[in-house]
């Protein structure tokens, strides 16, 4: 079985640009999570979907961050407009509904200049 | 609200030595507790989990963790480390199974060969 796939692996953006990160969860998983990882803040939840429905929208990240699940096997995270403080690794994870084990993708490293 | 504290940002040990990585949690009841490992340029992988029963739980690669309700702790241990154990280790909790995880800030482990 393929694990969680994330593209691109690296992204460099200018301040003010719009970027879209992509995630394909493990086939059959119902839950999908987007996290932001930085050295200072650690792992922060951005969005959480169950069966394509948005369950949590990450509070402080609402303004410029928008996650969507177009179908059960594809999700996007849009950041618009980007700011230098958005530089981080963005991780996508999926799991079966009710399962404790989240499967993580390798992440997308975003650098905003 | 819940939180996880990993007091040691970096730990260095010699190959073959024993290891303990510390984790303290704050939650009003007994949560579900996890240890994840992140190897360079990879996503997180589950090492072990605890949600009830024997307070000592076994995980992959000979890791184990001990839950202490009185100390609100869930420390990770290994009797003899290998250079390939060098990675970042995250402690996490969930108030319910199948919902979002709250992560600690991680402990970077370096094993000197």
């Amino acid at each position: 079985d393929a694990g969680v796939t994330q593209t691109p692996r690296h992204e460099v953006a200018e301040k003010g640009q719009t970027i879209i990160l992509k995630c394909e969860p493990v086939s059959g998983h119902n839950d999908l999570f987007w996290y932001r990882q930085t050295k200072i803040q650690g792992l922060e939840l951005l969005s959480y979907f169950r069966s394509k429905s948005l369950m949590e929208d990450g509070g402080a990240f609402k303004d410029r961050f928008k996650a969507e699940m177009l179908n059960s096997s594809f999700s996007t995270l849009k950041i618009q407009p980007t700011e230098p403080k958005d530089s981080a690794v963005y991780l996508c994870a999926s799991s079966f509904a009710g399962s404790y084990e989240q499967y993580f993708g390798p992440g997308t490293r975003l650098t905003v200049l | 609200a819940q939180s996880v504290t990993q007091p040691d940002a970096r730990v260095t040990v010699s190959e073959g030595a024993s290891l303990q990585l510390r984790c303290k949690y704050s939650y009003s009841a007994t949560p579900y507790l996890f240890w994840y490992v992140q190897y360079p340029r990879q996503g997180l992988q589950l090492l072990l989990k605890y949600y009830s029963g024997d307070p000592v739980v076994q995980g992959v690669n000979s890791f184990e963790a001990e839950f202490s309700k009185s100390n609100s702790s869930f420390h990770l241990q290994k009797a003899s480390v290998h250079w390939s154990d060098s990675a970042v280790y995250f402690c996490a909790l969930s108030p319910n199974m199948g919902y979002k995880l709250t992560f600690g800030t991680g402990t970077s482990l370096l094993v000197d060969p």
Side-chain angles (χ1 to χ4, degrees), chain A residues 1-7 21-34 48-52 68-77 91-97 101-106:
Chain A
D1 267 346
V4 176
T5 303
Q6 290 189 249
T7 55
L21 309 181
K22 304 177 183 72
C23 173
E24 294 178 270
V26 174
S27 178
H29 281 185
N30 316 91
D31 286 356
L32 186 137
F33 306 82
W34 282 100
Y48 161 49
F49 293 87
R50 169 160 290 180
S51 301
K52 301 189 294 180
E68 292 184 305
M69 278 206 80
L70 287 74
N71 56 55
S72 61
S73 58
F74 187 68
S75 177
T76 59
L77 175 66
L91 293 167
C92 178
S94 70
S95 68
F96 289 110
E101 184 167 1
Q102 294 184 19
Y103 290 76
F104 284 79

Side-chain angles (χ1 to χ4, degrees), chain A residues 35 43 100 102 104, chain B residues 2-6 22-26 31-37 44 46 48-50 74 89-95 99-106:
Chain A
Y35 293 92
L43 283 134
Y100 54 78
Q102 294 184 19
F104 284 79
Chain B
Q2 61 266 19
S3 66
V4 177
T5 301
Q6 293 180 250
R22 296 183 291 165
C23 172
K24 300 268 287 184
Y25 69 88
S26 174
Y32 299 101
L33 292 160
F34 311 89
W35 276 97
Y36 280 82
V37 61
L44 280 70
L46 182 67
L48 46 78
K49 73 278 183 186
Y50 171 83
F74 189 55
Y89 292 80
F90 293 92
C91 183
L93 73 78
S94 173
Y99 193 43
K100 66 178 180 178
L101 295 169
T102 298
F103 287 90
T105 50

Side-chain angles (χ1 to χ4, degrees), chain A residues 3-60:
Chain A
V4 176
T5 303
Q6 290 189 249
T7 55
R9 293 294 308 274
H10 301 273
E11 178 80 61
V12 179
E14 298 283 341
K15 178 183 174 182
Q17 268 189 278
T18 296
I19 62 101
I20 297 177
L21 309 181
K22 304 177 183 72
C23 173
E24 294 178 270
V26 174
S27 178
H29 281 185
N30 316 91
D31 286 356
L32 186 137
F33 306 82
W34 282 100
Y35 293 92
R36 184 172 78 172
Q37 184 178 25
T38 61
K39 288 197 185 299
I40 295 174
Q41 298 291 337
L43 283 134
E44 301 168 283
L45 181 70
L46 299 175
S47 295
Y48 161 49
F49 293 87
R50 169 160 290 180
S51 301
K52 301 189 294 180
S53 297
L54 183 62
M55 307 299 289
E56 183 157 336
D57 200 6

Side-chain angles (χ1 to χ4, degrees), chain B residues 51-65:
Chain B
Y51 33 90
S52 66
D54 189 337
V56 178
V57 292
Q58 306 295 323
V60 300
N61 293 340
S62 302
F63 282 96
E64 65 177 36

